[in-house]
């Protein structure tokens, strides 16, 4: 896993690479975990199976396409807690008591007993509210992306039956799309990424039951075999159906078919799905461009070499596989017999899970041999490159044993040694450092935004100024143009006037001349008449002798007249030409006049256009101005809300920081207290140096340092050995010894044995409980009482023992010790024991009558944090049992807790700073409030306001909603609320 694509490079080895598979160790591994890097060049239609590169190496980390680094040499492991179902909600399984999730720290705490727990680290912790989308993103998205990059990948769900494996992987989300599981989401992502005309996605769906593989798409075909290519080591399953999927619809149809077939096949085999593994195999074949092809493509684009390249378009196909495995229930591996499951089946489930675990460990441990051949499941999964394991756990205390098993399985794979626990200290320092850094970042971001805002405002102002300048400029230019036009008009008018007056002058001249010529015309007419008269006279004179002279005279006169006439005619002709000219001039004047008119109308039009433009410009300016003001307004509002939001966020961070500091203070106090405990134990040890089982083993495993724990583990082994050699009876008889030293060691050994669940019944059967109670009764010594009470508390974890403790008068004894003892250690043990007894439905009356509740409350006098936590736990347990009994109709009286006077203490501690105490008290309050018989006392003591506060502020959603429901359903509470509203 986590292999670099560069097989020879060694430069990428990070300091963490000690856990990674190294190249030198691999050669003996012929079928290693393969990364398929060499694409197959194939010009035919069917792409051949790609050749897997033989055992590959992980040098450094490989970053996938999202840029995230893969987690180097091991499986990514997530734990998902199933949401509670209706029944579990009803019983309000107080899950928090035994598993605690810390998603932000990626840690999980398993409670061993009342005061001891172990913490485990994982890659992600998904709480009951985590959505399917978040689960997909946290566990599967990276694997799917690396499959799309050409590597094989697997996603496996492990957990007990009913813990949500199939929901996580296989939910089809038909009713509610947000519930789609990993299978559907993975196929959707794959289909979105590929190109549907060039690439193919095929799916096979197999079931592995008792080492035989069946095809879930064609259920008649069983005994599918796994074939292995001797050369490449590539795995295939040639007889299984592989269906091509093209779209979301075909994916859903295919998964539905598989689901239906799985059900009917198992019905026929008289088994159920939880006893077999279901494996979805997705094969993605993607055509990719090699370097040569890219060059060809570039050439093609350039238009050259078209001829040469024709027919050479080879397809390059890269193929990768994704395995999604819904494992058989982890509980099926060992619970055979009592649930009617065949021994054979359990053996095979166990075989597959063990083989799978071994392979994973071998890969993580850098082993030269990886036992892939041990089972069909591990053979199938062996060429996975990127892998993710989702451990599903159930929320009910009934799941305790299986949950612990699953968590340890996950831890083994996380490659922490089995049983290695994290040092339990909440890393407030780094958290507060982180918060401080976040705060700084936010402040810097805020500042940056403010800066950006001022810049934007300045920029806007600049633009407004610019626009105004432009407007002014435009206005000026418009004015100038108008002025120019007016002068031009004046000039044209002047010219026009001048032309007209000139023409008029010319006209009058012509008219004069015309008049003159008309006069000349009249003279010519007179001449003609005179000529005729002359002709008549000359005719008359022809016969007259003296006429001759006259004629000559007249002839002369005529010539004279003719000459005159000729000149007159010439004059007339000239005048006619002139007239013509004048007429032409008149015409020209008319033309000029019309031209002038045209020019005038053109100018008018232009003026109109200019004024329209001006109007538009004005309008635009107004528009601009309003836009600018709008924009400015918007920007201010936006930035104001942003600043407001940032401020709120800052305030919240500050509050969180304060809260953390407060908690840190409390933790520090606790640390002080613990070190006090430690010193006490140490002193005690120093008194007893010579005995092999003595001293260092604090009876209640109070010391939490890992060094001490190791010593304790070593000594537990010694004690177990001793237990075997000496025998329980003998050890118990030492409890009655006269020798104080012997007695004290004996009681410590018994207390230690009682801490192991497996011994508790044996100790009680051998009479150990009576002896311990006797010791508690008779001993004055604080150490005796403390250790004996611790042992009784351990025994009180078991339901049968709880009843025995009661019948042997244990509660009276514990109550007496509670009232007498002063030592905080002793009180803590006694409170722990009573708290355990409070969790038993059958013991309620006897606990109250025996003074258990009052004793529990009395111990609050110490004000010691751990004692208070135990008291609160006991009260919550008691309230829970009461409320369950009332819900089932087995009880109808007022709460014994109220009768025993617990309410004032509960209410006064409901807002305590200790989150542990508060959590228990809030739960107790909710339970008490559920029953009308308690309501009046509850209201009188002020519990109603606490309930309202819980319904608003409690950190647990389920308790908040329980409180809300109780508030609305109780008539007494409703009446009280109305009364308060009415009164002024
Ligand atoms: P498994 O496959 O491990 O046996 P299932 O997936 O069948 O368990 O879950 C058991 C029941 O719990 C189913 O009814 C399922 O719908 C429900 N369930 C499981 N996980 C969730 C969850 N996260 N949210 C809501 N219901 C769930
Ligand atoms: Mg299932």
């Amino acid at each position: 896993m986590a292999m670099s694509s560069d097989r020879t490079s060694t430069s990428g080895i990070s300091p963490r690479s000690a856990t990674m598979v190294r190249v030198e160790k691999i050669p003996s591994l012929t079928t290693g975990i393969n990364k398929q890097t060499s694409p197959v060049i194939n010009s035919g239609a069917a792409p051949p199976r790609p050749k897997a590169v033989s055992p590959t190496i992980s040098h450094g980390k490989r970053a996938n396409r999202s840029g995230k680094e893969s987690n180097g040499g091991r499986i990514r492991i997530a734990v998902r807690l199933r949401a509670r179902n209706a029944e579990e909600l009803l019983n309000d399984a107080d899950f928090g008591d035994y598993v605690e999730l810390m998603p932000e720290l990626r840690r999980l705490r398993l409670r061993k007993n009342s005061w001891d727990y172990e913490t485990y680290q994982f890659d992600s912790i998904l709480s009951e509210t985590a959505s399917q989308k978040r689960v997909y993103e946290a566990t599967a998205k990276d694997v799917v992306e690396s499959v799309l990059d050409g590597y094989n990948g697997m996603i496996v769900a492990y957990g007990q039956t009913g813990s949500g494996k199939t929901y996580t992987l296989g939910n089809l989300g038909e009713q509610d799309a947000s519930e789609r599981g990993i299978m559907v989401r993975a196929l959707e992502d794959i289909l979105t990424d590929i190109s549907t005309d060039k690439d193919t996605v095929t799916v096979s769906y197999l079931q592995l039951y008792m080492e035989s593989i069946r095809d879930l798409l064609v259920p008649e075909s069983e005994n599918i075999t796994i074939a292995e290519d001797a050369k490449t080591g590539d795995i295939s399953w040639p007889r299984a159906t592989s269906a091509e999927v093209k779209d979301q619809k075909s994916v859903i149809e295919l998964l539905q078919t598989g689901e239906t077939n799985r059900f009917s096949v198992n019905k026929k085999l008289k088994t159920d799905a939880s006893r077999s593994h279901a494996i979805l195999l997705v094969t993605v074949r993607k055509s990719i461009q090699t370097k040569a092809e890219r060059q060809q493509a570039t050439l093609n684009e350039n238009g050259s070499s078209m001829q040469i390249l024709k027919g050479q378009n080879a397809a390059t196909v890269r193929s990768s596989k994704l395995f999604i495995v819904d494992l058989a229930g982890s509980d099926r591996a060992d619970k055979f017999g009592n649930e009617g499951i065949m021994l054979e089946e359990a053996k095979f489930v166990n075989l597959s899970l063990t083989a799978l675990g071994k392979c994973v460990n071998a890969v993580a441990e850098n082993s030269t041999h990886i036992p892939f051949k041990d089972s069909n499941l591990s053979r199938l999964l062996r060429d996975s490159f990127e892998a993710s394991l989702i451990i599903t756990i159930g929320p009910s205390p009934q799941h305790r044993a299986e949950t612990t098993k699953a968590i340890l399985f996950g831890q083994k794979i996380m490659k922490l040694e089995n049983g290695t626990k994290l040092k339990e200290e909440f890393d407030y320092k780094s958290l507060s450092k982180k918060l401080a850094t976040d705060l700084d970042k936010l402040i810097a971001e805020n500042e940056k935004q403010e800066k950006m805002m001022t810049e934007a405002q300045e920029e806007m102002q600049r633009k407004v100024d610019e626009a105004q300048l432009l407007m002014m400029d435009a206005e000026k230019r418009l004015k100038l143009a108008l002025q120019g036009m007016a002068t031009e008009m004046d000039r044209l008018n002047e010219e026009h006037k001048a032309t007209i007056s000139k023409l008029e002058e010319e006209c009058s001249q012509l008219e004069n001349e015309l008049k003159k010529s008309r006069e000349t015309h009249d003279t010519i007419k007179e001449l003609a008449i005179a000529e005729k008269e002359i002709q008549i006279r000359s005719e008359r004179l022809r016969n007259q002798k003296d006429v001759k002279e006259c004629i000559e005279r007249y002839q002369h006169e005529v010539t004279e007249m003719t000459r005159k006439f000729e000149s007159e005619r010439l004059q007339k002709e000239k005048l006619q030409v002139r007239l013509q000219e004048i007429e032409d001039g008149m015409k020209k004047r008319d033309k000029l006049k019309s031209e002038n008119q045209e020019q005038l109308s053109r100018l008018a039009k232009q003026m109109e256009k200019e004024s329209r433009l001006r109007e538009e410009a004005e309008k635009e300016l107004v528009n601009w101005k309003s836009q600018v003001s709008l924009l400015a307004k918007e920007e201010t509002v936006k930035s104001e809300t942003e600043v407001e939001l940032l401020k709120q966020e800052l305030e919240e961070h500050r509050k969180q920081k304060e809260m953390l500091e407060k908690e840190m203070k409390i933790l520090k106090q606790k640390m002080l207290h613990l070190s006090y405990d430690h010193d006490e134990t140490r002193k005690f040890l120093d008194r007893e140096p010579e005995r092999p089982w003595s001293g260092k083993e604090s009876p209640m495993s109070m010391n939490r340092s890992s060094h001490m724990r190791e010593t304790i583990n070593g000594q537990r082994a010694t004690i177990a050995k001793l237990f075997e050699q000496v025998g329980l009876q003998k050890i118990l008889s030492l409890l009655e010894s006269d020798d104080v030293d012997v007695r004290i060691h004996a009681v410590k050994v018994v207390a230690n044995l009682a801490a192991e669940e497996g011994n508790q019944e044996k100790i009680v059967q051998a009479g150990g409980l009576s002896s311990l109670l006797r010791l508690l009764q008779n001993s004055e010594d604080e150490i005796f009482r403390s250790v004996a009470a611790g042992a009784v508390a351990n025994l009180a974890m078991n339901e049968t023992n709880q009843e025995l403790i009661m019948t042997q008068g244990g509660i009276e004894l514990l109550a007496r010790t509670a009232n007498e003892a002063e030592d905080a250690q002793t009180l803590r043990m006694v409170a722990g024991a009573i708290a355990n007894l409070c969790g038993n439905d059958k013991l309620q009356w006897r606990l109250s009558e025996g003074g258990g509740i009052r004793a529990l409350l009395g111990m609050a006098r110490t004000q010691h944090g751990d004692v208070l936590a135990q008291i609160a736990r006991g009260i919550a347990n008691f309230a829970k049992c009461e409320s369950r009994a009332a819900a089932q109709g087995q009880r109808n009286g007022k709460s014994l807790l109220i009768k025993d006077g617990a309410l004032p203490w509960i209410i006064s501690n409901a807002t305590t700073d200790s989150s542990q105490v508060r959590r228990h008290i809030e739960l107790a309050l909710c339970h008490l409030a559920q029953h009308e018989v308690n309501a009046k006392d509850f209201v009188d003591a002020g519990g109603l306001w606490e309930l309202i506060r819980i319904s608003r502020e409690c950190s647990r959603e389920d308790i908040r909603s329980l409180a809300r429901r109780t508030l609305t359903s109780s008539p007494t509470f409703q009446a009280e609320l109305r009364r308060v509203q009415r009164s002024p």
Side-chain angles (χ1 to χ4, degrees), residues 80-85 127-128 130 132 159-168 171 179 274 326-327 329 392:
R80 182 185 198 185
L81 170 63
R82 165 163 72 64
R84 270 178 275 191
N85 59 30
S127 72
E128 53 199 308
Q132 290 278 77
Q160 82 175 110
T161 309
S163 58
K165 297 182 294 298
T166 308
Y167 178 84
T168 302
N171 197 314
E179 286 198 304
S274 71
D326 185 355
L327 288 176
T392 54

Side-chain angles (χ1 to χ4, degrees), residues 414-431:
M414 281 291 282
K415 222 193 155 253
L416 288 176
E417 276 177 307
N418 187 13
T420 303
K421 293 114 213 160
L422 291 170
K423 214 168 125 203
E424 181 51 25
E425 54 181 39
F426 195 85
D427 194 356
Y428 285 103
K429 228 190 216 159
S430 68
L431 193 62

Side-chain angles (χ1 to χ4, degrees), residues 541-589:
L541 285 176
R542 216 174 284 162
N543 297 319
Q544 295 172 12
K545 271 186 199 167
D546 58 338
V547 170
K548 201 175 173 183
E549 277 173 54
C550 194
I551 287 172
E552 275 172 3
R553 208 180 55 228
Y554 275 120
Q555 268 175 340
H556 177 74
E557 235 172 84
V558 166
T559 337
E560 199 62 10
M561 286 292 262
T562 312
R563 202 180 38 85
K564 210 175 165 187
F565 176 76
E566 190 57 28
S567 87
E568 289 287 332
R569 200 185 50 86
L570 277 175
Q571 184 81 14
K572 186 186 163 189
E573 261 173 21
K574 241 161 94 185
L575 278 173
Q576 264 169 348
V577 171
R578 187 75 188 123
L579 193 69
Q580 187 61 41
E581 267 176 16
I582 284 171
E583 265 169 85
D584 282 355
M586 289 283 276
K587 262 184 206 155
K588 227 160 100 188
R589 196 192 69 172

Side-chain angles (χ1 to χ4, degrees), residues 29 81 97 161 170 221 231 305 345 369 383 430 499 516 590-591 594 743 748-749 792 903 929 932 946 952:
L29 192 78
L81 170 63
D97 268 348
T161 309
S221 122
K231 270 192 217 144
S305 312
E345 273 181 14
H369 173 67
D383 41 14
S430 68
T499 322
K516 249 197 223 161
D590 284 348
K591 204 172 153 202
S594 78
R743 265 205 327 267
K748 276 189 234 165
V749 171
V792 173
L903 251 182
E932 253 338 82
E946 287 309 327
R952 288 180 187 153

Side-chain angles (χ1 to χ4, degrees), residues 927-942:
H927 281 300
L928 283 174
Q930 285 196 0
H931 303 289
E932 253 338 82
V933 275
N934 299 333
K936 195 172 170 319
D937 291 89
F938 200 87
V939 169
D940 291 345

